[in-house]
Structure formats: C-alpha cells, structure tokens
Amino acid sequence: MEIRQLTYFSAVARHGSFTKAAQELHVTQPTLSKMVRLLEEELGATLFDRSSKPIALTDAGETILRSSQGILSSIDTMAAELDDVMQARKGTLRLGIPPMIGVHVFPSLIERFHSRYPQIRLQLVERGGKRIEEEVDSGELDVGLVILPMAQEDKFHLLPCMDETLHLIAPRDHWAAGRESVELGELEREPFLLFRDEFTLHHLILDHCRQAGFEPQVAFESSQWDFMVQLVRARFGITLLPGGMRRSLDPERFLVLPVVRPTMTWSLNMIWKKDKYLSFAAREWIAFMRQEWPAGTQA
C-alpha cells in the first residue's frame, strides 16, 4: 500500500466522482481508476459502489476512509513539523555555558534569540570549560562557551566572543585601596579563592602565578563565583575574576582593580565540533551569535 493510493482513494471519496478527483489531482481518469483498483486488489475488498450516481463508499470503503484520513493527517503534520525544523522554528539546542557567563552578559542574548525563534527550546547546561569541551566533543552538547586555551583546540570550530582582563576582587578596605592597579606578584601572600580544577580559569591563574615566581596559597575552591565573592566579603581571601563582573558587585563593599604585570586575559570563545552534523537550531544559533556578538568584543 502506498501513500499515493490512499491520497487518490480519499479524493474520489470526497468528490464522489473519479472525474472530479482526477481534475483535482491533475492525473488522467484511467490512471486514477487503476490506482484505486490496485488498492482494492491489495486489500481484497471493494471500496466503491460504482453502480450508484454519484459513486458511494461500501462498508469496507467507509472503514478504509476513516483509517486513511488519520494516516494522511499524520503525514501532513509530520511534513509541517519537518518544515518548521528546516526553517529553524523548532528544535532543541544543547548549550554549555560557564557559571560566570550566566549572570555576566548572557541573559540578554537568550532573550533576543528566544524572541526571534520562540519554538526553539534552549537546554542550558552550566559547566566548567574542560567539561564543556569534553561534552561538545562527545556530542552531549551542540555548542559551548569556553575560555581559551583548550586542550584539543584543533577538534573544534572557534568563534571569538569576548576578551576581558582579570581583576582583583578584594574587601573594600584592602591594602591596595586607592591604587589604579595591582601587580600579580604583589598578591603572593594573599589567600586565593579559585574555581575548581575543571574550570579553565583555575589553570590560567595558577600558570600566571607560577610565571610570576610564586605558588599561590589556595584557601578554597568552588564552582560558584557568587559564593567566592561572598567569601571575599567575609575576608576569607581574594579572587581574580573578569573585569566585567564589577557591574555585579557593590562598590561600597568590594575593591575591584585590574591586575598587571602580567595582564591576564579571559578569552571567551564559542565552540562546536568539526566534521559533525549540526541541527538546524544549532546552525541558527551560530549564525545569531555571529551577528549579535561580533568577534572579539571588548567588555
């Protein structure tokens, strides 16, 4: 049984005429009659009483019509939904983001994308950069936002999104208050609050401290930047975060200064795997990001 046979049969049943159905379907009447006859032979039942004018459905024809209407309706729905997906009006995008980006700059991007594509479901997963890299590689995530450097950068397409310098976050009455900047080496005796090992920023800070000639005293590691900031407020230590985070901090309670010599850059990039099929939702997200978040934005 073919879908075309059911379509032809339904048209004849709707019009009560082979002639009118053939005109609607843009086929010859003999072709239409042959297709319906083949369907009857396949089913082993007569579907139309051809002796009546207009022709009428038999009991078997009534049964097949009810079933065929459901089948054809499902096919129409499937075609419409496929068209929606092809036009990126539906689908699911699995996106990995680092914790800081959620409060930092990302909500406005999500709002604009959702306004443009309300039927696309965004599945946001908050991870450290190393986990995001692994899950984009394995296919668990479609795309991800990570901090460079990456372990296996050659596996991925990269879209530069934002570069920021790291800043010292300390209590407002810290000894560096009144300064315009602080050198990394001056923080040698400070207790550091760092992200955990799965976060690229953890390794970025450790590497720069070692290059500056000291091993930092790590007082605490966390996966939550806001908890680290609260520990700074409680004078448990200092931390280093992208300068844009200062917009989220109360200047009456926190000192925020750029760290120099060396300057440390927080380089945010979007990644997706090379030589891997991308859903239409993922393709539209990548195109959206290229348009809405020009490469190398300075914050």
Side-chain angles (χ1 to χ4, degrees):
M1 183 185 303
E2 298 178 3
I3 298 301
R4 185 171 56 170
Q5 289 175 313
L6 293 179
T7 301
Y8 286 6
F9 161 73
S10 296
V12 175
R14 185 169 60 254
H15 289 287
S17 165
F18 279 91
T19 301
K20 292 180 180 178
Q23 291 172 349
E24 175 191 311
L25 296 168
H26 304 291
V27 297
T28 65
Q29 184 171 333
T31 297
L32 179 58
S33 297
K34 180 181 179 180
M35 291 294 291
V36 173
R37 180 67 67 185
L38 288 173
L39 179 61
E40 290 178 318
E41 291 176 0
E42 184 175 343
L43 295 173
T46 300
L47 303 179
F48 292 106
D49 177 1
R50 292 167 173 80
S51 64
S52 65
K53 297 295 181 181
I55 61 173
L57 287 166
T58 63
D59 290 344
E62 294 280 2
T63 300
I64 296 302
L65 180 63
R66 286 194 296 271
S67 298
S68 64
Q69 286 173 335
I71 293 170
L72 294 174
S73 177
S74 296
I75 290 172
D76 288 342
T77 298
M78 179 180 67
E81 289 184 351
L82 178 59
D83 182 65
D84 281 342
V85 171
M86 294 292 289
Q87 298 301 321
R89 290 192 290 267
K90 285 187 179 180
T92 298
L93 174 69
R94 299 166 300 171
L95 174 63
I97 60 173
M100 285 180 294
I101 204 68
V103 70
H104 189 25
V105 291
F106 207 62
S108 60
L109 285 170
I110 292 292
E111 182 180 6
R112 292 199 296 275
F113 184 76
H114 183 67
S115 296
R116 190 176 302 180
Y117 302 107
Q119 297 303 316
I120 290 182
R121 177 174 174 264
L122 279 175
Q123 183 178 330
L124 300 179
V125 179
E126 195 174 61
R127 296 277 192 268
K130 292 184 178 296
R131 281 282 301 280
I132 290 175
E133 180 180 347
E134 291 170 359
E135 293 183 13
V136 172
D137 186 24
S138 68
E140 295 175 69
L141 295 173
D142 298 308
V143 294
L145 290 163
V146 301
I147 310 303
L148 297 186
M150 295 169 56
Q152 302 183 71
E153 193 169 311
D154 60 334
K155 286 187 173 184
F156 306 96
H157 295 288
L158 272 70
L159 176 65
C161 295
M162 177 179 293
D163 288 334
E164 291 188 343
T165 56
L166 294 189
H167 282 51
L168 166 69
I169 311 296
R172 192 67 189 86
D173 58 356
H174 188 266
W175 55 261
R179 303 264 296 269
E180 293 186 358
S181 62
V182 60
E183 295 184 14
L184 181 59
E186 295 180 280
L187 303 176
E188 179 177 0
R189 298 185 182 279
E190 296 282 350
F192 277 71
L193 307 171
L194 299 180
F195 280 103
R196 291 176 180 165
D197 180 76
E198 69 184 77
F199 292 83
T200 306
L201 192 54
H202 170 101
H203 299 278
L204 180 68
I205 293 172
L206 287 183
D207 289 346
H208 277 81
C209 288
R210 289 162 183 163
Q211 291 171 20
F214 71 95
E215 187 71 26
Q217 304 174 37
V218 180
F220 187 75
E221 295 181 359
S222 175
S223 61
Q224 302 297 322
W225 72 270
D226 50 349
F227 183 49
M228 291 161 56
V229 166
Q230 290 305 312
L231 290 178
V232 169
R233 180 181 174 185
R235 304 179 186 280
F236 196 70
I238 58 96
T239 192
L240 303 180
L241 295 176
M245 298 299 295
R246 62 184 175 272
R247 293 190 289 270
S248 303
L249 302 176
D250 182 353
E252 297 297 322
R253 297 179 182 274
F254 296 98
L255 175 69
V256 182
L257 289 177
V259 178
V260 299
R261 297 184 184 178
T263 297
M264 289 176 282
T265 302
W266 185 77
S267 181
L268 183 68
N269 282 249
M270 189 170 76
I271 63 169
W272 60 100
K273 195 172 182 182
K274 293 179 179 177
D275 304 320
K276 176 186 177 296
Y277 171 78
L278 284 174
S279 69
F280 294 99
R283 292 179 189 176
E284 287 303 312
W285 170 257
I286 292 167
F288 168 82
M289 286 290 284
R290 283 179 168 145
Q291 177 185 350
E292 296 288 325
W293 205 347
T297 299
Q298 298 287 335

